[in-house]
Amino acid sequence: MDYRRQYIKDLLTGSPGQAAEAYGWVKTRRDSKGVSFVQLSDGSCFKDLQVVIDAGSISDDLLKQATTGACVKFSGELVESPGEGQAVELKACSLEIYGAADPASYPMQKKGASFEFLREIGHLRVRGNTFGAVMRVRNRASYAVHNFFQSRGFNWIHTPIITASDCEGAGAMFAVSTLLEAEHGPDGAQFRLKDNNPENDFFGKPAFLTVSGQLNVETQAMGLTNCYTFGPTFRAENSHTPRHLAEFWMIEPEMAFCDIHGDMNLAEEFVHEVIRDILDNCGPDLEFFDQRIEKGLIQTLEHVASSEFERMTYTEAVKLLEASGENFEFPTAWGSDLQSEHERWLTESKVGRPVILTDYPKDIKAFYMYGNEDNKTVRAMDVLVPRIGELIGGSQREDRLDVLEAKIDEMGLPKEAYWWYLDLRKYGSAPHSGFGLGFERLIMYLTGMKNIRDVIPFSRSAGSADF
Ligand code: 4AD
Ligand code: MG
């Protein structure tokens, strides 16, 4: 067996008369008089291969083992398919069973199983239509992300997962420590704190899983000009929403010699190009999402890929929200953060496409954002999209040493911990900007999937870290 063989994707575009071997997992088997039909999938494309077995060409005892979920190889010849939906099918003359799947207990055979149930069998759900399609789109979107940046001369930076600095200053970090020891007793596991002095810990000081690679990628942009990170980030927020995970992937470009306008241009171009790539390369998967998950998805994506994003300030947005006459659960007032309901009203009801909001009040944004002259707002920019709300959060960075130091003091952050970040402003400071895009939110947007737990192979959120 070699990896250089034909996938089902290739067999489906093969020619009648061609000898073929098809490896995969049985989706269904239907036996009728004189002939059996098997739908076979190897995940290489949305469509299954139809395998036709004439009575007597494969022994009944063997064929009986090819039940839903079994892993098999069928060999035979491609023939023209009389049925609708496929040009060719495989007329099989031999079958090899690699792994049977007991029909009495195989959990993936229920048609129309709920996404909640499928989360409980996260190790098997990729064999179904929906999760196969999600993972193929996720894969292609990762590729499109790298393509976008690489074709524009950005350097991919591998920023650390373990860090001692809190980038967002929001305190929602997971500690990384070897001072906590798990003891397994008859009543299960228990934690014991060996020592509570961080100086005796593995790194000699408190360390955490990163919430963002931004501060590190900024250092690289101050020497390489255009950089980006694409990796996992972690937040210990106890938010049980369909848009938050405790472990999610983030894409963070950072550009020297770029202001907030250039930052917005990059964000818009980036979203346009990734959507275009998925439309061009994931057609059958998108058709499935359009029919079964989110009606009109393809049309919306086509529209968004070619339309300019609306740009307005936070202050303008608050005025619109106040004048909207809508009965929001959370009232809007200048100075408070926008809630998901406000973001959705702006993008869905008011504008009808993505909106970039800029110049937020400084008190609701992170310490590193460039302060405007009004001394009330910062050069922040959030990209909001229909259905999802915030897809991107970014800003022009504060590059003035004295202003940044004063801000860190004002917010009560530990200045010593940011000494290297401040050095960037001390030695050869440059105007620079960047943003962070939540990769899972992008996948939700591209697929129409409603829950962020269903666009990542194994989700981690408060109270749940299975598999
Ligand atoms: O707006 P955020 O917090 O921005 C930053 O972390 C900046 N340091 C980024 C930068 O400028 N380099 O997060 C960026 C994006 C959000 O817009 C959202 O899409 C996503 O990350 N995000 C989450 N996605 C899933 N689960 C969570 N808990 C998320 N928190 C943020
Ligand atoms: Mg944000």
Side-chain angles (χ1 to χ4, degrees):
M1 278 189 268
D2 192 89
Y3 80 93
R4 278 167 301 193
R5 53 181 172 69
Q6 288 188 305
Y7 298 116
I8 284 179
K9 182 184 179 169
D10 308 311
L11 296 176
L12 285 169
T13 53
S15 327
Q18 178 187 324
E21 289 182 332
Y23 298 76
W25 290 266
V26 174
K27 280 251 182 81
T28 56
R29 194 190 79 232
R30 187 160 56 81
D31 302 313
S32 62
K33 227 179 154 49
V35 59
S36 295
F37 298 95
V38 166
Q39 294 299 123
L40 193 69
S41 162
D42 65 359
S44 60
C45 60
F46 185 78
K47 256 177 128 63
D48 305 327
L49 175 70
Q50 172 151 289
V51 183
V52 186
I53 306 108
D54 288 334
S57 56
I58 292 173
S59 90
D60 280 354
D61 281 351
L62 191 61
L63 188 58
K64 257 194 240 151
Q65 294 176 53
T67 57
T68 299
C71 181
V72 303
K73 176 173 94 173
F74 280 106
S75 312
E77 186 190 326
L78 292 183
V79 298
E80 211 169 293
S81 176
E84 264 182 48
Q86 68 263 325
V88 291
E89 57 191 28
L90 176 66
K91 200 175 174 67
C93 56
S94 85
L95 164 64
E96 194 172 334
I97 307 276
Y98 294 119
D102 179 10
S105 61
Y106 181 58
M108 272 297 289
Q109 43 194 346
K110 257 202 306 184
K111 272 247 180 310
S114 71
F115 290 148
E116 286 78 11
F117 169 73
L118 291 170
R119 263 171 240 151
E120 291 170 21
I121 51 166
H123 58 308
L124 296 172
R125 66 179 179 173
V126 74
R127 298 187 193 181
N129 283 340
T130 308
F131 291 93
V134 166
M135 290 314 146
R136 281 186 298 272
V137 169
R138 194 180 161 106
N139 168 65
R140 182 70 209 189
S142 314
Y143 182 77
V145 165
H146 286 298
N147 242 346
F148 176 85
F149 289 116
Q150 295 295 330
S151 67
R152 284 165 178 76
F154 282 62
N155 296 281
W156 183 17
I157 306 297
H158 305 114
T159 50
I161 305 283
I162 299 175
T163 175
S165 24
D166 181 356
C167 171
E168 293 303 293
M173 304 182 88
F174 290 101
V176 176
S177 171
T178 51
L179 293 181
L180 212 53
E181 205 169 52
E183 285 176 347
H184 298 271
D187 302 325
Q190 277 200 328
F191 277 133
R192 190 175 66 85
L193 192 61
K194 289 196 288 190
D195 190 331
N196 61 14
N197 182 357
E199 283 178 20
N200 298 329
D201 204 347
F202 190 89
F203 298 105
K205 58 179 170 182
F208 305 92
L209 294 179
T210 188
V211 296
S212 159
Q214 179 195 322
L215 304 191
N216 295 90
V217 82
E218 275 188 54
T219 67
Q220 306 304 292
M222 294 298 110
L224 293 168
T225 303
N226 285 345
C227 296
Y228 69 110
T229 69
F230 183 6
T233 50
F234 307 85
R235 296 196 184 176
E237 295 163 341
N238 202 354
S239 34
H240 294 266
T241 80
R243 304 176 307 122
H244 288 88
L245 288 172
E247 176 179 307
F248 63 99
W249 285 62
M250 200 171 4
I251 295 142
E252 299 182 87
E254 193 68 39
M255 298 152 287
F257 319 113
C258 179
D259 65 10
I260 189 173
H261 301 287
D263 203 27
M264 288 192 277
N265 292 342
L266 183 84
E268 184 168 334
E269 245 178 76
F270 175 66
V271 174
H272 280 161
E273 194 166 304
V274 175
I275 294 178
R276 188 74 258 154
D277 185 291
I278 296 300
L279 283 165
D280 291 346
N281 293 289
C282 296
D285 291 320
L286 285 190
E287 275 161 35
F288 167 80
F289 290 122
D290 191 305
Q291 281 161 23
R292 303 292 287 275
I293 305 290
E294 172 77 28
K295 292 257 175 307
L297 175 75
I298 294 179
Q299 206 190 338
T300 307
L301 292 178
E302 287 282 2
H303 169 65
V304 171
S306 57
S307 62
E308 257 180 46
F309 294 0
E310 181 80 21
R311 298 182 188 191
M312 65 173 89
T313 65
Y314 165 91
T315 304
E316 285 163 347
V318 168
K319 278 189 195 140
L320 289 176
L321 285 158
E322 280 171 345
S324 71
E326 293 283 322
N327 208 351
F328 293 118
E329 190 188 337
F330 297 92
T332 37
W334 199 96
S336 60
D337 215 352
L338 297 185
Q339 302 293 322
S340 168
E341 56 176 345
H342 307 134
E343 297 174 343
R344 293 191 61 165
W345 179 82
L346 277 170
T347 54
E348 290 167 21
S349 308
K350 183 68 194 170
V351 178
R353 58 176 193 281
V355 178
I356 311 185
L357 288 193
T358 60
D359 303 287
Y360 281 72
K362 65 174 182 173
D363 294 337
I364 58 170
K365 288 291 181 190
F367 73 96
Y368 50 71
M369 297 191 184
Y370 192 97
N372 281 322
E373 270 168 21
D374 63 12
N375 206 23
K376 286 194 297 207
T377 59
V378 286
R379 287 190 195 161
M381 67 102 186
D382 277 11
V383 179
L384 315 178
V385 299
R387 292 204 316 269
I388 311 284
E390 181 188 335
L391 176 67
I392 291 178
S395 66
Q396 183 170 334
R397 318 307 189 189
E398 186 54 77
D399 55 68
R400 299 163 295 185
L401 180 64
D402 52 336
V403 181
L404 185 59
E405 279 182 326
K407 191 71 175 286
I408 288 177
D409 288 338
E410 187 185 313
M411 291 189 143
L413 297 169
K415 197 148 70 189
E416 324 72 62
Y418 295 107
W419 68 272
W420 53 273
Y421 190 68
L422 291 165
D423 260 8
L424 301 177
R425 279 73 182 165
K426 214 157 142 188
Y427 307 113
S429 190
H432 63 292
S433 303
F435 64 76
L437 172 137
F439 189 55
E440 283 72 25
R441 294 204 185 161
L442 176 67
I443 306 303
M444 289 173 76
Y445 193 58
L446 294 170
T447 59
M449 294 294 284
K450 308 287 181 296
N451 194 312
I452 198 164
R453 290 167 184 78
D454 297 331
V455 294
I456 186 163
F458 299 104
S459 69
R460 269 83 183 94
S461 53
S464 142
D466 294 330
F467 309 105

